[in-house]
């Protein structure tokens, strides 16, 4: 498969709408969640790296993993992408791509000082949160950012207004929050969180700050919500749920938690079929299968093939939503970035 955004058609599964799935005790089956896998922001970011390599040739540098998936990163490395932890690692006169998770303004400044041409592959939904942070900081609000400490998206958002943002890492962290004016507080959130846990945190914050302001729209992205809803619908029906995704993918980890919360007998996160343990299938009639928003469909097909070889050939799709959102590619791909970078390095 040349392009990771393409997918081999899966075996024609039956479709169960709105969680209408029957539990057959005399057959082995797979409940396949829909939607699953690539969201529009991930698709845009991966294509941005592929297009940059096609247009400008290797190497193209990428600051941090373009998306949190081992398979995607390794595949892009084979094509000529070089992943770095810090902007300073990119030699002058080269192209650097910022990942889908977004970066703080200081990173853009680092790239300018390093005389680099940049492509910003930040997911537009993350960019929306960044703009909200800037807006509320200008209005002198204390901003309570619900998210996980150390996550790249949280680091990027916090960097937009470090003097105004306080990180709230779940409901248990609410008691530690201090603000200047309890009547001038707003909450924002990391886009890849569990919807239920986020709203629990918001509820706890409102208990402390009754006048807490909510953002104009829910920050948790449509893809995260849709994938969690699909897992909830199939979770109670499944003896085992397999989530395809990498360990550092926040939205994939959340899907495991959601599956268990929905009543799944067990749930495991795997990068691919090779990580599934045979012992997980003991006594299992119904396997639920889904994938995180940064997972190419080829990995899901690998799991379906692995399960089919073990008698789980009956596949039903559990559909919770239709997704038709697409994002245009970064505008920088329409320019001659190699020439711009060379000129910057010579100045």
């Amino acid at each position: 498969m040349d392009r990771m955004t393409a997918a081999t058609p899966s075996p024609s599964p039956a479709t169960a709408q709105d969680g209408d799935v029957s539990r057959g005790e005399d057959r082995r089956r797979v409940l396949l969640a829909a939607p699953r896998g690539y969201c529009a922001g991930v698709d845009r970011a991966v294509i941005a790296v592929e297009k940059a390599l096609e247009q400008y040739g290797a190497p193209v540098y990428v600051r941090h993993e373009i998306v949190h998936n081992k398979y995607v990163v390794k595949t892009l490395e084979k094509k000529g992408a070089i992943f770095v932890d810090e902007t300073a690692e990119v030699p002058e006169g080269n192209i650097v791509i910022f990942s889908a998770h977004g970066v703080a303004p200081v990173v853009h400044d680092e790239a300018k000082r390093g005389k680099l041409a940049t492509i910003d592959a930040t997911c537009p939904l993350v960019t929306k949160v960044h703009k909200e942070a800037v807006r509320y900081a200008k209005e002198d609000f204390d901003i309570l950012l619900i998210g996980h400490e150390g996550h790249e998206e949280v680091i990027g958002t916090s960097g937009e207004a470090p003097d105004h943002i306080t990180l709230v890492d779940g409901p248990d962290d609410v008691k530690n929050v201090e603000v200047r004016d309890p009547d001038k507080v707003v909450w924002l959130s990391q886009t890849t969180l569990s919807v239920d846990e986020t709203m629990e945190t918001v509820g706890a914050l409102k208990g402390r700050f009754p006048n807490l302001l909510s953002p104009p729209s829910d920050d948790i992205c449509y893809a995260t919500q849709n994938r969690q809803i699909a897992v909830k619908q199939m979770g109670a029906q499944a003896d085992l749920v397999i989530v395809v995704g990498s360990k550092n993918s926040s939205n994939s980890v959340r899907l495991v938690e959601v599956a268990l919360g929905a009543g799944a007998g067990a749930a495991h996160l795997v990068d691919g079929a090779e990580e599934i343990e045979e012992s997980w299938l003991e006594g299992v009639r119904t396997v639920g299968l889904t994938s995180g928003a940064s997972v190419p469909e080829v990995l899901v097909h690998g799991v379906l093939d692995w399960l089919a070889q073990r008698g789980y050939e009956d596949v039903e799709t559990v559909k919770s939503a239709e997704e038709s959102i697409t994002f245009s590619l970064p505008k920088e791909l329409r320019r001659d970035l190699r020439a711009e970078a060379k000129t910057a390095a010579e100045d």
Side-chain angles (χ1 to χ4, degrees):
M1 181 181 301
D2 182 56
R3 188 178 290 285
M4 284 177 290
T5 50
T8 305
S10 59
S12 302
T15 300
Q17 295 285 354
D18 300 324
D20 180 21
V21 288
S22 58
R23 192 183 191 101
E25 298 300 332
D26 58 345
R27 62 192 174 108
R28 293 179 178 180
R29 62 175 181 163
V30 178
L31 300 179
L32 184 61
R36 63 184 177 276
Y38 270 13
C39 63
V42 165
D43 197 38
R44 173 181 184 266
V46 173
I47 292 176
V49 179
E50 293 174 334
K51 287 288 188 184
L53 287 166
E54 290 173 8
Q55 291 180 207
Y56 309 122
V60 167
Y61 291 82
V62 184
R63 187 183 183 277
H64 294 170
E65 294 185 354
I66 188 67
V67 296
H68 287 158
N69 185 266
K70 288 182 181 179
Y71 177 90
V72 172
V73 170
K74 288 179 181 178
T75 302
L76 291 173
E77 283 178 332
K78 291 176 183 177
K79 294 183 177 183
I82 298 176
F83 293 86
V84 298
D85 290 327
E86 300 300 336
T87 315
E89 297 176 49
V90 183
E92 280 189 7
N94 277 277
I95 297 170
V96 62
I97 301 177
F98 298 139
S99 78
H101 309 103
V103 297
V106 65
V107 176
H108 290 276
D109 294 338
E110 291 170 356
K112 289 179 181 178
R113 289 197 299 272
K115 299 181 178 180
L116 305 174
T118 62
I119 298 174
D120 191 352
T122 302
C123 172
L125 299 179
V126 174
T127 299
K128 176 182 76 72
V129 179
H130 281 219
K131 289 179 178 178
E132 289 172 348
V134 171
R135 170 193 160 193
Y136 286 115
K138 285 181 178 178
E139 296 175 7
D140 203 29
F141 274 79
D142 278 342
I143 303 166
L144 306 182
L145 177 61
I146 302 171
H148 296 304
E149 187 173 3
H151 190 278
E152 289 163 34
E153 184 183 327
V154 166
I155 293 171
T157 302
S158 298
E160 294 286 359
D163 295 334
H164 288 79
I165 292 178
T166 298
L167 180 63
V168 184
D169 199 343
D172 294 338
D173 198 24
V174 170
K175 62 181 180 295
N176 302 317
V177 175
E178 295 182 5
V179 300
R180 295 169 299 160
D181 181 354
D183 292 325
K184 202 166 186 180
V185 186
V186 64
W187 70 270
L188 302 177
S189 76
Q190 181 181 329
T191 64
T192 55
L193 298 179
S194 159
V195 177
D196 292 340
E197 182 180 355
T198 299
M199 297 320 296
E200 183 183 351
T201 304
V202 171
L205 286 170
K206 287 185 175 179
R208 286 200 59 195
F209 312 111
N211 293 327
L212 178 71
L213 186 66
S214 296
S217 60
D218 188 357
D219 286 343
I220 297 177
C221 89
Y222 76 94
T224 298
Q225 295 186 55
N226 288 345
R227 281 148 190 72
Q228 290 179 13
I229 291 170
V231 168
K232 282 182 180 180
Q233 290 181 357
M234 74 178 185
Q237 306 290 330
D239 304 305
L240 165 69
V241 170
I242 295 174
V243 178
V244 184
S246 294
K247 303 295 188 293
N248 63 337
S249 167
S250 176
N251 76 88
S252 298
V253 172
R254 300 290 85 73
L255 288 174
V256 173
E257 297 171 355
V258 170
L260 292 171
H268 298 281
L269 180 65
V270 299
D271 266 296
E274 69 281 357
E275 293 186 1
I276 303 174
E277 298 181 18
E278 296 271 0
S279 61
W280 296 350
L281 298 179
E282 292 179 10
V284 170
R285 292 279 183 187
T286 300
V287 177
L289 176 60
T290 190
S291 57
S294 52
V295 177
E297 188 69 359
V298 63
L299 299 180
V300 175
H301 293 309
V303 174
L304 284 172
D305 291 343
W306 189 93
L307 290 169
Q309 292 167 12
R310 289 154 181 80
Y312 297 85
E313 297 178 329
D314 187 357
V315 180
E316 299 176 26
T317 297
V318 181
K319 182 178 289 187
S320 65
E322 294 282 354
E323 291 183 351
S324 58
I325 293 176
T326 59
F327 296 130
S328 59
L329 291 176
K331 61 183 183 299
E332 296 92 342
L333 287 168
R334 298 193 291 269
R335 307 200 318 249
D336 187 352
L337 292 184
R338 283 284 182 216
E340 290 180 22
K342 183 178 180 181
T343 300
E346 291 173 349
D347 288 344

